[in-house]
Amino acid sequence: MNAKDKENMSEFALIQRYFKTLSEPAASVLLGIGDDCALLTPPVGCALAVSIDTQVEGVHFPHNAPAEQVGRRVACCALSDLAAMGAQPLWATLALTLPQVDSAWLEAFSRGLGAILKRFHTTLIGGDTTQGPLAITLQVHGSVAPDQALRRSGAQVGDVIYVTGCLGDGAAALAYLQGKFQPEDAACTYLTERFYAPEPQISAGHALAGVASSAIDISDGLLADLTHISEASGLGATIYIEALPISPLWCNQVEPTQAQHWALTGGDDYQLCFTLAPERQLPQSQAWQAYPIGVITQTPGIIILNHGQPVHINTGGYEHFR
Amino acid sequence: MNAKDKENMSEFALIQRYFKTLSEPAASVLLGIGDDCALLTPPVGCALAVSIDTQVEGVHFPHNAPAEQVGRRVACCALSDLAAMGAQPLWATLALTLPQVDSAWLEAFSRGLGAILKRFHTTLIGGDTTQGPLAITLQVHGSVAPDQALRRSGAQVGDVIYVTGCLGDGAAALAYLQGKFQPEDAACTYLTERFYAPEPQISAGHALAGVASSAIDISDGLLADLTHISEASGLGATIYIEALPISPLWCNQVEPTQAQHWALTGGDDYQLCFTLAPERQLPQSQAWQAYPIGVITQTPGIIILNHGQPVHINTGGYEHFR
């Protein structure tokens, strides 16, 4: 883009051009992108669930990652928080910080972001573009019946702990993208997709709302996130390491202890971890799966058992500033 | 902060420690900071107004700006968008990107942010902290009767154009903070305060909701923002340059043409610019002021008159990527 193009491409035009197409008409949107605020009518009788997340280049995704993939990833990760609350997505707002105007980047990013938002019926209602190091903040908004929202604090002693799918993919993908792990071709494709488009478990969250006793999405690693549930509930947990679902696509290409370590402590999996009273029936669906991996206990702390034997794991999921 | 402190100060603890105190109990907040989403009950019968804004160090505020001032500025600028819509503030979410954990910085930032949010009865309901170059994204949420919201698109031919206070302060303050303008002491104090805590015109917006035909807050400069109103309304405008309110604290310390240029094109003033049908009475209040500065016209484009003589101004408010 030459200097003249830049001059013509004001911030205002930028937003209009690349993102207004993502602002699809919706009954709940009185006024979308283009004024000082968006104006919305939240569904009556529902609680509004909101979550804000930032992804920074070089921290949350690699430098020079494909823009379309970055757009998909940002949307998937943000929507995952709505899934964890049992909420149905409604709207998103985008705060995009870019080093410079780059039409090709913006077009691809918008395409990736838009594809995921559209699939989950989420309308982009507002945004802000600023100049600076590449970082993307997305806030998502959804609706859920107030008494059915999946909080972290509702687990009870004896509740069974489930996860909705394979663990460790996020950590394995990161190792692959960083060149520290070279899996077979099929696994490369799988892990790249799991990193850039971790499926938000919206269907699972919706089915579990009012049914599960607690839930969280696994963004910091199973142990770290299960700790959030157990601490918020004032309880503990026991995990059966042999029950953890790990993808056969890469699992046999690393040491078993490495695979288990990634499954227990790796971040970026975006599966739901939820608890269910043993007398309650698990909702059945073709759209999602559930794997029992442990049980909620009275004594605070998390115990990990490997075929009945306690195992010590160097815990700590992915935390910033470490 | 030493390595051990860093290890103990996880992201989770960070949010809890510095920002949970800003999450004051409110009837509309079912669940605040600390779960995957906040859960909210928007006021019944009102539209929800939302706006998201990012401020990047070195772009929107100087490098090494005092943290408390940065916190105040971020809150004031964000709330200004609710004012421009005629909305009453409800909640805020914060996405904070920091180069490293710095307790003193966080404490001061939180204090500044909290002071402004508290004054405008705004509860912090959620947040995200990430590692990266210093940038702050704040989303604000407010309520307004859907048929009374102040849109940009409602101006009519003959409507009088008003602003709620002095123009050019933002540009004068920037010149001062950059060392390009050395005003007298009283002006230094005034401009510093106007830069870091530009008063969100919430009272004015509330009084004008359902009364003014259109409104915008002046963040990009009077001409740029008035252009948004005139274009959204499909009309034009005439501005009387001698009617622009400019602070006597610094106005006589620069050339008259410089003062007028700052008033017309400088960003960061955060006054409201609004239009009012000539037959409608301006709401009277001690809490805010209104200065008539021009009129809406049929022909697109903005004409600037200086005592009746057309003046050409090198337009363009502050735009990123230029």
Side-chain angles (χ1 to χ4, degrees), chain A residues 7 11 35-36 38 40 48 50 54 93 128 139 141 152 217 320 322, chain B residues 7 11 35-36 38 40 48 50 54 93 128 139 141 152 217 320 322:
Chain A
E7 198 172 309
E11 178 190 0
D35 212 304
D36 293 294
L40 311 159
L48 184 69
V50 305
T54 299
T93 51
D128 185 30
Q139 177 159 325
H141 315 67
R152 298 178 179 178
D217 69 325
H320 308 298
R322 278 197 174 190
Chain B
E7 199 171 309
E11 178 190 3
D35 212 304
D36 293 294
L40 311 159
L48 184 68
V50 305
T54 299
T93 51
D128 185 30
Q139 176 159 324
H141 315 66
R152 298 178 179 178
D217 69 323
H320 309 296
R322 280 201 171 185

PDB file of all heavy atoms in Angstrom, chain A residues 7 11 35-36 38 40 48 50 54 93 128 139 141 152 217 320 322, chain B residues 7 11 35-36 38 40 48 50 54 93 128 139 141 152 217 320 322:
ATOM      1  N   GLU A   7      -3.285   7.313   3.175  1.00  0.00           N
ATOM      2  CA  GLU A   7      -3.977   8.528   3.565  1.00  0.00           C
ATOM      3  C   GLU A   7      -5.484   8.363   3.399  1.00  0.00           C
ATOM      4  O   GLU A   7      -6.263   8.859   4.192  1.00  0.00           O
ATOM      5  CB  GLU A   7      -3.459   9.689   2.707  1.00  0.00           C
ATOM      6  CG  GLU A   7      -3.776  11.039   3.315  1.00  0.00           C
ATOM      7  CD  GLU A   7      -3.091  12.145   2.542  1.00  0.00           C
ATOM      8  OE1 GLU A   7      -1.878  12.041   2.328  1.00  0.00           O
ATOM      9  OE2 GLU A   7      -3.774  13.091   2.148  1.00  0.00           O
ATOM     10  N   GLU A  11      -9.044   5.229   9.664  1.00  0.00           N
ATOM     11  CA  GLU A  11      -9.532   4.218  10.603  1.00  0.00           C
ATOM     12  C   GLU A  11     -10.993   3.898  10.331  1.00  0.00           C
ATOM     13  O   GLU A  11     -11.414   2.750  10.320  1.00  0.00           O
ATOM     14  CB  GLU A  11      -9.384   4.735  12.035  1.00  0.00           C
ATOM     15  CG  GLU A  11      -9.923   3.759  13.068  1.00  0.00           C
ATOM     16  CD  GLU A  11     -10.009   4.369  14.461  1.00  0.00           C
ATOM     17  OE1 GLU A  11      -9.658   5.549  14.620  1.00  0.00           O
ATOM     18  OE2 GLU A  11     -10.421   3.662  15.371  1.00  0.00           O
ATOM     19  N   ASP A  35     -21.545   3.746  14.927  1.00  0.00           N
ATOM     20  CA  ASP A  35     -21.918   4.885  15.767  1.00  0.00           C
ATOM     21  C   ASP A  35     -21.017   4.860  17.007  1.00  0.00           C
ATOM     22  O   ASP A  35     -20.062   4.098  17.057  1.00  0.00           O
ATOM     23  CB  ASP A  35     -23.414   4.804  16.137  1.00  0.00           C
ATOM     24  CG  ASP A  35     -24.032   6.187  16.292  1.00  0.00           C
ATOM     25  OD1 ASP A  35     -23.529   6.987  17.100  1.00  0.00           O
ATOM     26  OD2 ASP A  35     -25.025   6.471  15.593  1.00  0.00           O
ATOM     27  N   ASP A  36     -21.286   5.722  17.986  1.00  0.00           N
ATOM     28  CA  ASP A  36     -20.433   5.732  19.180  1.00  0.00           C
ATOM     29  C   ASP A  36     -20.567   4.438  19.978  1.00  0.00           C
ATOM     30  O   ASP A  36     -19.630   3.985  20.606  1.00  0.00           O
ATOM     31  CB  ASP A  36     -20.780   6.936  20.060  1.00  0.00           C
ATOM     32  CG  ASP A  36     -20.423   8.242  19.378  1.00  0.00           C
ATOM     33  OD1 ASP A  36     -19.224   8.480  19.174  1.00  0.00           O
ATOM     34  OD2 ASP A  36     -21.324   9.003  19.011  1.00  0.00           O
ATOM     35  N   ALA A  38     -22.833   0.443  19.895  1.00  0.00           N
ATOM     36  CA  ALA A  38     -23.865  -0.414  19.331  1.00  0.00           C
ATOM     37  C   ALA A  38     -25.053  -0.391  20.283  1.00  0.00           C
ATOM     38  O   ALA A  38     -24.886  -0.162  21.484  1.00  0.00           O
ATOM     39  CB  ALA A  38     -23.341  -1.839  19.180  1.00  0.00           C
ATOM     40  N   LEU A  40     -28.323  -2.716  21.538  1.00  0.00           N
ATOM     41  CA  LEU A  40     -28.716  -4.119  21.535  1.00  0.00           C
ATOM     42  C   LEU A  40     -29.931  -4.349  22.411  1.00  0.00           C
ATOM     43  O   LEU A  40     -30.132  -3.633  23.392  1.00  0.00           O
ATOM     44  CB  LEU A  40     -27.549  -4.950  22.085  1.00  0.00           C
ATOM     45  CG  LEU A  40     -26.199  -4.616  21.448  1.00  0.00           C
ATOM     46  CD1 LEU A  40     -25.057  -5.055  22.333  1.00  0.00           C
ATOM     47  CD2 LEU A  40     -26.111  -5.236  20.074  1.00  0.00           C
ATOM     48  N   LEU A  48     -27.207 -12.096  30.619  1.00  0.00           N
ATOM     49  CA  LEU A  48     -26.223 -11.811  29.583  1.00  0.00           C
ATOM     50  C   LEU A  48     -24.873 -12.311  30.093  1.00  0.00           C
ATOM     51  O   LEU A  48     -24.439 -11.943  31.187  1.00  0.00           O
ATOM     52  CB  LEU A  48     -26.180 -10.304  29.330  1.00  0.00           C
ATOM     53  CG  LEU A  48     -25.281  -9.816  28.207  1.00  0.00           C
ATOM     54  CD1 LEU A  48     -25.819 -10.242  26.853  1.00  0.00           C
ATOM     55  CD2 LEU A  48     -25.163  -8.285  28.266  1.00  0.00           C
ATOM     56  N   VAL A  50     -20.834 -12.396  29.426  1.00  0.00           N
ATOM     57  CA  VAL A  50     -19.806 -11.708  28.637  1.00  0.00           C
ATOM     58  C   VAL A  50     -18.408 -12.145  29.072  1.00  0.00           C
ATOM     59  O   VAL A  50     -18.165 -12.439  30.240  1.00  0.00           O
ATOM     60  CB  VAL A  50     -19.905 -10.164  28.727  1.00  0.00           C
ATOM     61  CG1 VAL A  50     -21.280  -9.674  28.347  1.00  0.00           C
ATOM     62  CG2 VAL A  50     -19.504  -9.651  30.090  1.00  0.00           C
ATOM     63  N   THR A  54      -7.699 -11.328  25.131  1.00  0.00           N
ATOM     64  CA  THR A  54      -6.704 -10.724  24.247  1.00  0.00           C
ATOM     65  C   THR A  54      -5.719 -11.781  23.785  1.00  0.00           C
ATOM     66  O   THR A  54      -5.318 -12.639  24.565  1.00  0.00           O
ATOM     67  CB  THR A  54      -5.930  -9.619  24.988  1.00  0.00           C
ATOM     68  OG1 THR A  54      -6.837  -8.600  25.391  1.00  0.00           O
ATOM     69  CG2 THR A  54      -4.867  -8.993  24.091  1.00  0.00           C
ATOM     70  N   THR A  93     -17.521  -8.007  19.942  1.00  0.00           N
ATOM     71  CA  THR A  93     -16.855  -6.731  19.648  1.00  0.00           C
ATOM     72  C   THR A  93     -15.363  -7.008  19.494  1.00  0.00           C
ATOM     73  O   THR A  93     -14.809  -7.880  20.162  1.00  0.00           O
ATOM     74  CB  THR A  93     -17.057  -5.699  20.768  1.00  0.00           C
ATOM     75  OG1 THR A  93     -16.710  -6.300  22.021  1.00  0.00           O
ATOM     76  CG2 THR A  93     -18.489  -5.204  20.821  1.00  0.00           C
ATOM     77  N   ASP A 128     -12.801  -1.372  17.311  1.00  0.00           N
ATOM     78  CA  ASP A 128     -11.868  -0.259  17.387  1.00  0.00           C
ATOM     79  C   ASP A 128     -10.579  -0.735  16.733  1.00  0.00           C
ATOM     80  O   ASP A 128     -10.158  -1.869  16.953  1.00  0.00           O
ATOM     81  CB  ASP A 128     -11.626   0.109  18.860  1.00  0.00           C
ATOM     82  CG  ASP A 128     -10.756   1.352  19.005  1.00  0.00           C
ATOM     83  OD1 ASP A 128     -10.797   2.224  18.124  1.00  0.00           O
ATOM     84  OD2 ASP A 128     -10.032   1.444  20.016  1.00  0.00           O
ATOM     85  N   GLN A 139     -14.431  -9.401  22.616  1.00  0.00           N
ATOM     86  CA  GLN A 139     -15.395  -9.669  23.688  1.00  0.00           C
ATOM     87  C   GLN A 139     -16.581 -10.377  23.064  1.00  0.00           C
ATOM     88  O   GLN A 139     -17.085  -9.973  22.016  1.00  0.00           O
ATOM     89  CB  GLN A 139     -15.853  -8.381  24.392  1.00  0.00           C
ATOM     90  CG  GLN A 139     -16.918  -8.676  25.461  1.00  0.00           C
ATOM     91  CD  GLN A 139     -17.061  -7.604  26.519  1.00  0.00           C
ATOM     92  OE1 GLN A 139     -16.092  -6.965  26.912  1.00  0.00           O
ATOM     93  NE2 GLN A 139     -18.273  -7.397  27.009  1.00  0.00           N
ATOM     94  N   HIS A 141     -20.524 -12.046  23.750  1.00  0.00           N
ATOM     95  CA  HIS A 141     -21.723 -11.854  24.558  1.00  0.00           C
ATOM     96  C   HIS A 141     -22.698 -12.969  24.203  1.00  0.00           C
ATOM     97  O   HIS A 141     -22.904 -13.247  23.015  1.00  0.00           O
ATOM     98  CB  HIS A 141     -22.393 -10.518  24.251  1.00  0.00           C
ATOM     99  CG  HIS A 141     -21.446  -9.335  24.149  1.00  0.00           C
ATOM    100  ND1 HIS A 141     -20.520  -9.213  23.144  1.00  0.00           N
ATOM    101  CD2 HIS A 141     -21.304  -8.248  24.926  1.00  0.00           C
ATOM    102  CE1 HIS A 141     -19.831  -8.092  23.321  1.00  0.00           C
ATOM    103  NE2 HIS A 141     -20.283  -7.490  24.381  1.00  0.00           N
ATOM    104  N   ARG A 152     -18.286 -22.119  38.079  1.00  0.00           N
ATOM    105  CA  ARG A 152     -17.197 -22.976  38.548  1.00  0.00           C
ATOM    106  C   ARG A 152     -17.453 -23.504  39.962  1.00  0.00           C
ATOM    107  O   ARG A 152     -16.820 -24.459  40.395  1.00  0.00           O
ATOM    108  CB  ARG A 152     -15.893 -22.171  38.567  1.00  0.00           C
ATOM    109  CG  ARG A 152     -15.467 -21.681  37.193  1.00  0.00           C
ATOM    110  CD  ARG A 152     -14.200 -20.854  37.279  1.00  0.00           C
ATOM    111  NE  ARG A 152     -13.797 -20.416  35.944  1.00  0.00           N
ATOM    112  CZ  ARG A 152     -12.734 -19.645  35.692  1.00  0.00           C
ATOM    113  NH1 ARG A 152     -11.972 -19.221  36.703  1.00  0.00           N
ATOM    114  NH2 ARG A 152     -12.436 -19.299  34.470  1.00  0.00           N
ATOM    115  N   ASP A 217     -13.749 -24.010  30.762  1.00  0.00           N
ATOM    116  CA  ASP A 217     -13.084 -24.472  29.544  1.00  0.00           C
ATOM    117  C   ASP A 217     -11.583 -24.576  29.826  1.00  0.00           C
ATOM    118  O   ASP A 217     -11.028 -23.798  30.605  1.00  0.00           O
ATOM    119  CB  ASP A 217     -13.372 -23.584  28.335  1.00  0.00           C
ATOM    120  CG  ASP A 217     -12.749 -22.212  28.421  1.00  0.00           C
ATOM    121  OD1 ASP A 217     -12.679 -21.659  29.539  1.00  0.00           O
ATOM    122  OD2 ASP A 217     -12.323 -21.687  27.381  1.00  0.00           O
ATOM    123  N   HIS A 320       0.589 -16.510  32.102  1.00  0.00           N
ATOM    124  CA  HIS A 320       1.375 -15.397  31.588  1.00  0.00           C
ATOM    125  C   HIS A 320       2.312 -14.906  32.673  1.00  0.00           C
ATOM    126  O   HIS A 320       2.137 -15.214  33.837  1.00  0.00           O
ATOM    127  CB  HIS A 320       0.452 -14.279  31.146  1.00  0.00           C
ATOM    128  CG  HIS A 320      -0.610 -14.761  30.216  1.00  0.00           C
ATOM    129  ND1 HIS A 320      -0.313 -15.311  29.000  1.00  0.00           N
ATOM    130  CD2 HIS A 320      -1.944 -14.825  30.354  1.00  0.00           C
ATOM    131  CE1 HIS A 320      -1.441 -15.663  28.420  1.00  0.00           C
ATOM    132  NE2 HIS A 320      -2.440 -15.386  29.221  1.00  0.00           N
ATOM    133  N   ARG A 322       5.291 -15.715  33.403  1.00  0.00           N
ATOM    134  CA  ARG A 322       6.167 -16.666  34.072  1.00  0.00           C
ATOM    135  C   ARG A 322       7.431 -16.824  33.282  1.00  0.00           C
ATOM    136  O   ARG A 322       7.409 -16.673  32.077  1.00  0.00           O
ATOM    137  CB  ARG A 322       5.470 -18.011  34.207  1.00  0.00           C
ATOM    138  CG  ARG A 322       4.564 -18.001  35.394  1.00  0.00           C
ATOM    139  CD  ARG A 322       4.188 -19.396  35.797  1.00  0.00           C
ATOM    140  NE  ARG A 322       3.425 -19.311  37.044  1.00  0.00           N
ATOM    141  CZ  ARG A 322       3.118 -20.371  37.770  1.00  0.00           C
ATOM    142  NH1 ARG A 322       3.490 -21.550  37.406  1.00  0.00           N
ATOM    143  NH2 ARG A 322       2.435 -20.222  38.871  1.00  0.00           N
TER     144      ARG A 322
ATOM    145  N   GLU B   7       6.535 -16.142  40.143  1.00  0.00           N
ATOM    146  CA  GLU B   7       5.932 -17.459  40.060  1.00  0.00           C
ATOM    147  C   GLU B   7       4.622 -17.498  40.845  1.00  0.00           C
ATOM    148  O   GLU B   7       3.656 -18.127  40.430  1.00  0.00           O
ATOM    149  CB  GLU B   7       6.917 -18.491  40.613  1.00  0.00           C
ATOM    150  CG  GLU B   7       6.594 -19.894  40.163  1.00  0.00           C
ATOM    151  CD  GLU B   7       7.694 -20.854  40.546  1.00  0.00           C
ATOM    152  OE1 GLU B   7       8.859 -20.564  40.236  1.00  0.00           O
ATOM    153  OE2 GLU B   7       7.379 -21.881  41.165  1.00  0.00           O
ATOM    154  N   GLU B  11      -1.587 -15.135  36.691  1.00  0.00           N
ATOM    155  CA  GLU B  11      -2.577 -14.250  36.077  1.00  0.00           C
ATOM    156  C   GLU B  11      -3.838 -14.179  36.926  1.00  0.00           C
ATOM    157  O   GLU B  11      -4.393 -13.121  37.156  1.00  0.00           O
ATOM    158  CB  GLU B  11      -2.941 -14.783  34.686  1.00  0.00           C
ATOM    159  CG  GLU B  11      -3.998 -13.955  33.994  1.00  0.00           C
ATOM    160  CD  GLU B  11      -4.522 -14.620  32.719  1.00  0.00           C
ATOM    161  OE1 GLU B  11      -4.107 -15.730  32.398  1.00  0.00           O
ATOM    162  OE2 GLU B  11      -5.354 -14.003  32.071  1.00  0.00           O
ATOM    163  N   ASP B  35     -15.112 -16.015  36.890  1.00  0.00           N
ATOM    164  CA  ASP B  35     -15.599 -17.236  36.231  1.00  0.00           C
ATOM    165  C   ASP B  35     -15.283 -17.102  34.736  1.00  0.00           C
ATOM    166  O   ASP B  35     -14.570 -16.194  34.331  1.00  0.00           O
ATOM    167  CB  ASP B  35     -17.094 -17.429  36.497  1.00  0.00           C
ATOM    168  CG  ASP B  35     -17.482 -18.906  36.561  1.00  0.00           C
ATOM    169  OD1 ASP B  35     -17.200 -19.626  35.577  1.00  0.00           O
ATOM    170  OD2 ASP B  35     -18.047 -19.333  37.575  1.00  0.00           O
ATOM    171  N   ASP B  36     -15.773 -18.031  33.919  1.00  0.00           N
ATOM    172  CA  ASP B  36     -15.478 -17.940  32.486  1.00  0.00           C
ATOM    173  C   ASP B  36     -16.138 -16.721  31.855  1.00  0.00           C
ATOM    174  O   ASP B  36     -15.616 -16.151  30.899  1.00  0.00           O
ATOM    175  CB  ASP B  36     -15.932 -19.218  31.773  1.00  0.00           C
ATOM    176  CG  ASP B  36     -15.108 -20.410  32.205  1.00  0.00           C
ATOM    177  OD1 ASP B  36     -13.908 -20.427  31.908  1.00  0.00           O
ATOM    178  OD2 ASP B  36     -15.660 -21.302  32.875  1.00  0.00           O
ATOM    179  N   ALA B  38     -18.835 -13.174  32.986  1.00  0.00           N
ATOM    180  CA  ALA B  38     -19.690 -12.482  33.943  1.00  0.00           C
ATOM    181  C   ALA B  38     -21.133 -12.746  33.538  1.00  0.00           C
ATOM    182  O   ALA B  38     -21.422 -12.995  32.362  1.00  0.00           O
ATOM    183  CB  ALA B  38     -19.401 -10.994  33.924  1.00  0.00           C
ATOM    184  N   LEU B  40     -24.980 -11.085  33.776  1.00  0.00           N
ATOM    185  CA  LEU B  40     -25.572  -9.766  33.995  1.00  0.00           C
ATOM    186  C   LEU B  40     -27.057  -9.784  33.678  1.00  0.00           C
ATOM    187  O   LEU B  40     -27.505 -10.556  32.826  1.00  0.00           O
ATOM    188  CB  LEU B  40     -24.887  -8.765  33.065  1.00  0.00           C
ATOM    189  CG  LEU B  40     -23.359  -8.829  33.100  1.00  0.00           C
ATOM    190  CD1 LEU B  40     -22.758  -8.232  31.856  1.00  0.00           C
ATOM    191  CD2 LEU B  40     -22.844  -8.152  34.350  1.00  0.00           C
ATOM    192  N   LEU B  48     -29.241  -1.983  25.359  1.00  0.00           N
ATOM    193  CA  LEU B  48     -27.888  -2.061  25.905  1.00  0.00           C
ATOM    194  C   LEU B  48     -26.963  -1.347  24.915  1.00  0.00           C
ATOM    195  O   LEU B  48     -26.938  -1.688  23.732  1.00  0.00           O
ATOM    196  CB  LEU B  48     -27.493  -3.526  26.063  1.00  0.00           C
ATOM    197  CG  LEU B  48     -26.145  -3.816  26.708  1.00  0.00           C
ATOM    198  CD1 LEU B  48     -26.157  -3.425  28.176  1.00  0.00           C
ATOM    199  CD2 LEU B  48     -25.804  -5.296  26.563  1.00  0.00           C
ATOM    200  N   VAL B  50     -23.073  -0.544  23.921  1.00  0.00           N
ATOM    201  CA  VAL B  50     -21.713  -1.012  24.209  1.00  0.00           C
ATOM    202  C   VAL B  50     -20.707  -0.358  23.264  1.00  0.00           C
ATOM    203  O   VAL B  50     -21.002  -0.076  22.108  1.00  0.00           O
ATOM    204  CB  VAL B  50     -21.566  -2.557  24.102  1.00  0.00           C
ATOM    205  CG1 VAL B  50     -22.573  -3.268  24.981  1.00  0.00           C
ATOM    206  CG2 VAL B  50     -21.665  -3.039  22.681  1.00  0.00           C
ATOM    207  N   THR B  54      -9.353   0.843  22.586  1.00  0.00           N
ATOM    208  CA  THR B  54      -7.999   0.457  22.983  1.00  0.00           C
ATOM    209  C   THR B  54      -7.111   1.691  23.065  1.00  0.00           C
ATOM    210  O   THR B  54      -7.205   2.574  22.206  1.00  0.00           O
ATOM    211  CB  THR B  54      -7.394  -0.521  21.958  1.00  0.00           C
ATOM    212  OG1 THR B  54      -8.200  -1.703  21.913  1.00  0.00           O
ATOM    213  CG2 THR B  54      -5.971  -0.913  22.343  1.00  0.00           C
ATOM    214  N   THR B  93     -15.541  -3.939  31.137  1.00  0.00           N
ATOM    215  CA  THR B  93     -14.601  -5.061  31.101  1.00  0.00           C
ATOM    216  C   THR B  93     -13.243  -4.528  30.660  1.00  0.00           C
ATOM    217  O   THR B  93     -13.161  -3.596  29.860  1.00  0.00           O
ATOM    218  CB  THR B  93     -15.052  -6.155  30.112  1.00  0.00           C
ATOM    219  OG1 THR B  93     -15.347  -5.553  28.851  1.00  0.00           O
ATOM    220  CG2 THR B  93     -16.273  -6.895  30.615  1.00  0.00           C
ATOM    221  N   ASP B 128      -9.083  -9.548  31.446  1.00  0.00           N
ATOM    222  CA  ASP B 128      -8.081 -10.489  30.960  1.00  0.00           C
ATOM    223  C   ASP B 128      -6.743  -9.766  31.047  1.00  0.00           C
ATOM    224  O   ASP B 128      -6.653  -8.587  30.728  1.00  0.00           O
ATOM    225  CB  ASP B 128      -8.388 -10.859  29.500  1.00  0.00           C
ATOM    226  CG  ASP B 128      -7.446 -11.927  28.966  1.00  0.00           C
ATOM    227  OD1 ASP B 128      -6.977 -12.767  29.762  1.00  0.00           O
ATOM    228  OD2 ASP B 128      -7.171 -11.923  27.751  1.00  0.00           O
ATOM    229  N   GLN B 139     -14.074  -2.120  27.513  1.00  0.00           N
ATOM    230  CA  GLN B 139     -15.411  -2.067  26.922  1.00  0.00           C
ATOM    231  C   GLN B 139     -16.362  -1.554  27.989  1.00  0.00           C
ATOM    232  O   GLN B 139     -16.327  -2.004  29.134  1.00  0.00           O
ATOM    233  CB  GLN B 139     -15.871  -3.439  26.412  1.00  0.00           C
ATOM    234  CG  GLN B 139     -17.321  -3.376  25.874  1.00  0.00           C
ATOM    235  CD  GLN B 139     -17.680  -4.502  24.916  1.00  0.00           C
ATOM    236  OE1 GLN B 139     -16.864  -4.950  24.123  1.00  0.00           O
ATOM    237  NE2 GLN B 139     -18.930  -4.943  24.971  1.00  0.00           N
ATOM    238  N   HIS B 141     -20.478  -0.618  28.986  1.00  0.00           N
ATOM    239  CA  HIS B 141     -21.841  -1.048  28.712  1.00  0.00           C
ATOM    240  C   HIS B 141     -22.773  -0.104  29.464  1.00  0.00           C
ATOM    241  O   HIS B 141     -22.543   0.181  30.647  1.00  0.00           O
ATOM    242  CB  HIS B 141     -22.086  -2.476  29.218  1.00  0.00           C
ATOM    243  CG  HIS B 141     -20.999  -3.463  28.894  1.00  0.00           C
ATOM    244  ND1 HIS B 141     -19.719  -3.376  29.424  1.00  0.00           N
ATOM    245  CD2 HIS B 141     -20.993  -4.554  28.094  1.00  0.00           C
ATOM    246  CE1 HIS B 141     -18.982  -4.368  28.946  1.00  0.00           C
ATOM    247  NE2 HIS B 141     -19.720  -5.096  28.141  1.00  0.00           N
ATOM    248  N   ARG B 152     -25.930   9.156  15.319  1.00  0.00           N
ATOM    249  CA  ARG B 152     -25.288  10.173  14.491  1.00  0.00           C
ATOM    250  C   ARG B 152     -26.165  10.592  13.317  1.00  0.00           C
ATOM    251  O   ARG B 152     -25.925  11.620  12.704  1.00  0.00           O
ATOM    252  CB  ARG B 152     -23.969   9.616  13.925  1.00  0.00           C
ATOM    253  CG  ARG B 152     -22.964   9.259  14.996  1.00  0.00           C
ATOM    254  CD  ARG B 152     -21.705   8.661  14.375  1.00  0.00           C
ATOM    255  NE  ARG B 152     -20.725   8.346  15.414  1.00  0.00           N
ATOM    256  CZ  ARG B 152     -19.548   7.785  15.185  1.00  0.00           C
ATOM    257  NH1 ARG B 152     -19.204   7.459  13.943  1.00  0.00           N
ATOM    258  NH2 ARG B 152     -18.715   7.538  16.178  1.00  0.00           N
ATOM    259  N   ASP B 217     -19.235  12.079  20.297  1.00  0.00           N
ATOM    260  CA  ASP B 217     -18.230  12.703  21.161  1.00  0.00           C
ATOM    261  C   ASP B 217     -17.010  13.048  20.309  1.00  0.00           C
ATOM    262  O   ASP B 217     -16.674  12.340  19.351  1.00  0.00           O
ATOM    263  CB  ASP B 217     -17.862  11.823  22.364  1.00  0.00           C
ATOM    264  CG  ASP B 217     -17.095  10.574  21.980  1.00  0.00           C
ATOM    265  OD1 ASP B 217     -17.400   9.994  20.913  1.00  0.00           O
ATOM    266  OD2 ASP B 217     -16.205  10.162  22.739  1.00  0.00           O
ATOM    267  N   HIS B 320      -5.607   7.135  13.066  1.00  0.00           N
ATOM    268  CA  HIS B 320      -4.496   6.200  13.175  1.00  0.00           C
ATOM    269  C   HIS B 320      -4.013   5.849  11.776  1.00  0.00           C
ATOM    270  O   HIS B 320      -4.710   6.062  10.801  1.00  0.00           O
ATOM    271  CB  HIS B 320      -4.938   4.947  13.913  1.00  0.00           C
ATOM    272  CG  HIS B 320      -5.606   5.276  15.204  1.00  0.00           C
ATOM    273  ND1 HIS B 320      -4.937   5.903  16.223  1.00  0.00           N
ATOM    274  CD2 HIS B 320      -6.876   5.119  15.617  1.00  0.00           C
ATOM    275  CE1 HIS B 320      -5.781   6.090  17.220  1.00  0.00           C
ATOM    276  NE2 HIS B 320      -6.956   5.624  16.877  1.00  0.00           N
ATOM    277  N   ARG B 322      -1.788   7.124   9.919  1.00  0.00           N
ATOM    278  CA  ARG B 322      -1.444   8.190   8.977  1.00  0.00           C
ATOM    279  C   ARG B 322      -0.007   8.598   9.194  1.00  0.00           C
ATOM    280  O   ARG B 322       0.495   8.508  10.293  1.00  0.00           O
ATOM    281  CB  ARG B 322      -2.357   9.393   9.181  1.00  0.00           C
ATOM    282  CG  ARG B 322      -3.684   9.142   8.506  1.00  0.00           C
ATOM    283  CD  ARG B 322      -4.385  10.444   8.254  1.00  0.00           C
ATOM    284  NE  ARG B 322      -5.546  10.168   7.414  1.00  0.00           N
ATOM    285  CZ  ARG B 322      -6.319  11.102   6.931  1.00  0.00           C
ATOM    286  NH1 ARG B 322      -6.073  12.360   7.163  1.00  0.00           N
ATOM    287  NH2 ARG B 322      -7.335  10.793   6.184  1.00  0.00           N
TER     288      ARG B 322
END
